[in-house]
């Protein structure tokens, strides 16, 4: 099915962060958009306001009539939806074109110049940074992001004039193999999703294959020192980046008084005194990758400087909820040991002399089983660690795999406890904090607004 033939689009799993971005794209293009999701959310309610027809009961009879023509309706589903889902079965048995979200993004990279960001971690922040730099520049871009940009209040950017599309390239279920990037950043290849890949070697091979998909004339911007071997086509340029070495890197980094500046070193044009709009140490490296991709696609030094200075961050990525002289409270989506290590290290750099408490909800039984020692090592950089039960997402429990595995491997001297999620609000209400960090990709974040209210009542509002 070509884009021009699509009159209606139906989403099985409409409320996912990536799915909702594509739904918005088709709404903007004038298509009828319908869909199912298990529960209402802020994203689904926003889609309904914009005209999408969404329901929350697995029921074929609730599929809108406008989405029942197999010749003009594209059906998009998320891998998180089981194959036996009644609506998915209906569409497959009745001759509809049924595609994964990643396949649709692949179509878009064939009709636009795809600027993709892949990697175990850092891809949401890096792609959102790049999209902001490009969108506010003379080049402009479309974007499909894995998080809500605080600059735009959405995970989707539409341009009427630009041929570029910034896409977060997800390795889960090998989704990124559907893409055909014009250029791509690869931030990291620390093994993850071993429930899908089985082995570290298979995970790294998946990234190698991804590099073969970059279009001739384009470029690979890869973090220096990764274990994977790139395998690009003839005519694809390869650049390396990192914090302090490679074709693109930083020099003269200054972290002081809540601000971060650095010099951007580039083979095209180096830029002095880059100021981070979201001054978090890990964003220096993310920013280098984002600036490299934007610069390679025509953004000038003034546009790069302005884009970095005005970048506002992503919901749930180092998301400061309350900050004054008495308390710092933030939420971070980190759920892989390397992400938590970077998050904890950045927090420690920013708040060297304060007690840092983290409430961590482990995500997936398999991930906890495979990496519990690494989780414990990463969390041991902090002063106090509070663990909740594991968030299962798509998985069934595994015997012997609980948060106790992480608890038992925390280093001596770290204050520790395990509590039920239902008791988190009571814990926050009864304890004193200097820096409080909520970590994880599960549903604990749903409590963050209430936590912020409790803490604001006790410690005061955000400082101006």
């Amino acid at each position: 099915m070509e884009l021009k033939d699509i009159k209606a689009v139906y989403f099985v799993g409409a409320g996912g962060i990536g799915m909702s971005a594509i739904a918005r794209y088709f709404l903007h293009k004038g298509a009828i958009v319908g869909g199912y999701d298990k529960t209402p959310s802020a994203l689904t309610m926003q889609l309904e306001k914009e005209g999408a027809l969404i329901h929350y009961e697995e029921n074929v009879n609730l599929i809108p009539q406008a989405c029942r023509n197999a010749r003009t309706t594209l059906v998009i589903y998320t891998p998180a939806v089981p194959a036996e889902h009644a609506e998915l079965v209906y569409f497959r048995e009745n001759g509809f074109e049924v595609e994964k979200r990643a396949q649709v993004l692949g179509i878009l990279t064939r009709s636009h110049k795809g600027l993709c960001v892949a990697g175990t971690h850092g891809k949401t922040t890096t792609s959102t940074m790049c999209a902001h730099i490009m969108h506010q520049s003379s080049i402009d871009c479309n974007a499909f992001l894995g998080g809500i940009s605080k600059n735009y209040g959405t995970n989707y950017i539409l341009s009427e004039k630009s041929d570029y599309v910034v896409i977060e390239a997800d390795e889960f279920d090998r989704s990124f193999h559907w893409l055909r990037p014009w250029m791509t950043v690869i931030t990291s290849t620390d093994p993850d999703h071993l429930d899908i890949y089985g082995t570290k070697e298979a995970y790294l091979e998946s990234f190698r294959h991804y590099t073969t998909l970059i279009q001739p004339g384009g470029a690979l911007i890869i973090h220096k020192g990764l274990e994977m071997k790139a395998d690009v086509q003839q005519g694809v340029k390869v650049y390396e980046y990192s914090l302090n070495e490679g074709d693109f890197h930083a020099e003269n980094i200054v972290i002081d008084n809540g601000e971060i500046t650095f010099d951007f070193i580039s083979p095209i044009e180096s830029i002095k005194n880059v100021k981070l709009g979201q001054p978090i140490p890990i964003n220096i490296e993310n920013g280098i990758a984002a600036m490299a991709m934007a610069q390679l696609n025509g953004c000038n030094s003034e546009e790069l400087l302005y884009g970095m200075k005005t970048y506002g961050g992503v919901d749930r990525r180092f998301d400061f909820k309350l900050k004054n002289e008495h308390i710092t409270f933030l939420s971070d989506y980190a759920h892989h040991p390397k992400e938590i290590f970077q998050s904890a290290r950045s927090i420690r750099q920013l708040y060297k002399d304060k007690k840092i408490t983290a409430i961590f909800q482990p995500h997936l039984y398999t991930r906890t089983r495979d990496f519990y020692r690494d989780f414990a090592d990463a969390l041991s950089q902090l002063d106090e660690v509070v663990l909740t039960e594991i968030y299962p997402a798509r998985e069934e429990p595994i015997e012997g795999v609980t948060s106790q595995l992480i608890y038992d491997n925390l280093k001596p001297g770290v204050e520790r406890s395990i509590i039920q999620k239902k008791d988190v609000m009571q814990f926050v209400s009864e304890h004193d904090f200097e820096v409080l960090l909520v970590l994880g990709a599960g549903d604990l974040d749903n409590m963050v607004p209430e936590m912020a209210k409790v803490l604001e009542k006790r410690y005061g509002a955000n400082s101006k």
Side-chain angles (χ1 to χ4, degrees):
M1 188 177 284
E2 298 292 326
L3 285 176
K4 61 181 175 59
D5 300 324
I6 298 169
K7 301 291 188 289
V9 188
Y10 191 86
F11 291 82
V12 186
I17 194 78
M19 293 281 276
S20 61
I22 299 176
R24 284 200 170 101
Y25 173 84
F26 282 108
L27 282 167
H28 277 290
K29 293 294 182 184
I32 294 167
V33 171
Y36 156 87
D37 207 89
K38 200 171 184 179
T39 53
S41 66
L43 283 172
T44 59
M45 288 187 279
Q46 184 59 40
L47 286 175
E48 289 188 76
K49 283 182 186 174
E50 294 175 21
L53 308 169
I54 298 175
H55 60 269
Y56 304 95
E57 178 188 335
E58 185 179 336
N59 186 341
V60 170
N61 294 325
L62 296 178
I63 298 170
Q65 196 61 40
C67 298
R68 291 177 178 264
N69 185 332
R71 293 195 309 277
T72 58
T73 300
L74 173 65
V75 178
I76 305 173
Y77 73 101
T78 169
V81 172
E84 63 273 15
H85 189 282
E87 295 180 20
L88 207 49
V89 170
Y90 165 82
F91 287 120
R92 284 182 168 140
E93 289 181 348
N94 286 279
F96 285 78
E97 185 161 334
V98 180
E99 296 191 346
K100 293 180 184 178
R101 176 180 67 90
Q103 290 173 274
V104 180
L105 292 176
I107 293 171
L108 294 174
T109 59
R110 290 173 176 86
S111 56
H112 298 72
K113 284 188 173 179
L115 307 180
C116 305
V117 181
T120 315
H121 35 261
K123 55 184 174 284
T124 298
T125 297
T126 304
S127 56
T128 307
M129 274 183 168
C130 183
H132 174 61
I133 295 168
M134 296 280 292
H135 185 59
Q136 56 80 43
S137 77
S138 57
I139 308 297
D140 203 359
C141 70
N142 302 273
F144 296 91
L145 307 170
I148 302 296
S149 162
K150 290 194 161 188
N151 289 93
Y152 306 104
T154 180
N155 56 334
Y156 165 64
I157 296 172
L158 178 69
S159 169
E160 300 296 341
K161 64 176 185 177
S162 180
D163 192 36
Y164 290 100
V165 57
V166 177
I167 290 175
E168 181 172 329
D170 189 0
E171 79 277 10
F172 174 71
D173 199 31
R174 296 178 174 83
S175 292
F176 61 169
H177 290 175
W178 294 104
L179 305 176
R180 296 298 179 268
W182 170 243
M183 292 189 187
T184 189
V185 167
I186 298 180
T187 63
S188 49
T189 54
D190 302 298
D192 195 10
H193 304 301
L194 296 185
D195 55 324
I196 301 292
Y197 287 98
T199 66
K200 170 184 173 180
E201 290 71 26
Y203 188 77
L204 294 175
E205 164 58 24
S206 187
F207 276 90
R208 183 207 64 80
H209 178 71
Y210 173 67
T211 64
T212 70
L213 306 176
I214 305 167
Q215 297 180 32
L220 167 63
I221 308 159
I222 188 168
H223 193 289
K224 191 174 178 64
L226 299 187
E227 279 191 72
M228 63 157 288
K229 302 296 183 187
D231 185 12
V232 299
Q233 299 182 60
Q234 189 172 357
V236 175
K237 292 182 179 178
V238 179
Y239 300 93
E240 289 187 320
Y241 82 95
S242 75
L243 184 66
N244 47 31
E245 57 180 339
D247 301 298
F248 298 94
H249 65 273
E251 291 181 359
N252 301 320
I253 299 168
V254 178
I255 303 174
D256 185 49
N257 198 28
E259 293 189 350
I260 297 178
T261 59
F262 63 92
D263 294 343
F264 174 64
I265 307 304
S266 160
I268 300 167
E269 181 189 2
S270 295
I271 304 171
K272 290 186 178 297
N273 294 317
V274 177
K275 184 175 181 179
L276 278 183
Q278 196 191 32
I280 297 157
I282 187 57
N283 277 353
I284 303 171
E285 201 164 57
N286 293 331
I288 291 164
M291 291 174 75
M293 186 129 77
Q295 191 180 54
L296 286 168
N297 287 285
C299 289
N300 62 39
S301 58
E302 288 79 13
E303 291 168 339
L304 291 165
L305 283 166
Y306 183 77
M308 291 297 290
K309 183 174 70 173
T310 57
Y311 171 71
V314 184
D315 277 358
R316 295 187 71 180
R317 267 69 172 189
F318 267 99
D319 194 352
F320 287 88
K321 299 296 185 181
L322 183 61
K323 193 174 179 183
N324 59 38
E325 59 183 315
H326 306 294
I327 181 80
T328 298
F329 173 47
L330 66 157
S331 168
D332 193 49
Y333 188 74
H335 56 283
H336 183 278
K338 284 291 178 73
E339 292 173 342
I340 288 175
F341 180 86
Q342 293 286 5
S343 180
R345 187 174 70 170
S346 286
I347 287 290
R348 179 58 74 198
Q349 285 177 274
L350 288 170
Y351 302 102
K352 296 181 179 69
D353 304 319
K354 293 192 175 184
K355 180 180 178 180
I356 303 170
T357 301
I359 304 175
F360 175 48
Q361 180 187 39
H363 187 265
L364 300 181
Y365 293 103
T366 53
R367 188 181 282 128
T368 305
R369 177 198 64 197
D370 294 335
F371 301 119
Y372 66 87
R373 290 186 182 88
D374 299 318
F375 278 123
D377 286 346
L379 290 164
S380 291
Q381 297 176 88
L382 305 176
D383 301 296
E384 182 180 16
V385 175
V386 180
L387 298 163
T388 72
E389 66 268 36
I390 296 168
Y391 182 75
R394 57 188 178 271
E395 294 184 341
E396 295 298 320
I398 298 173
E399 187 176 352
V401 178
T402 71
S403 297
Q404 189 74 37
L405 290 171
I406 301 172
Y407 179 98
D408 290 343
N409 284 272
L410 290 165
K411 291 179 181 176
V414 178
E415 294 179 42
R416 67 196 74 182
S417 56
I418 299 178
I419 63 175
Q420 293 294 303
K421 188 184 75 174
K422 65 181 177 61
D423 297 324
V424 166
M425 283 309 307
Q426 183 179 346
F427 175 86
V428 171
S429 299
E430 294 177 354
H431 286 72
D432 292 322
F433 305 101
E434 292 183 320
V435 178
L436 176 61
L437 170 63
V438 172
L439 287 169
D443 60 357
L444 189 61
D445 190 72
N446 294 339
M447 296 184 181
V448 165
E450 191 179 350
M451 291 184 209
K453 287 179 183 176
V454 168
L455 294 170
E456 185 173 344
K457 190 173 181 181
R458 190 191 317 164
Y459 294 104
N462 278 307
S463 55
K464 299 297 183 186

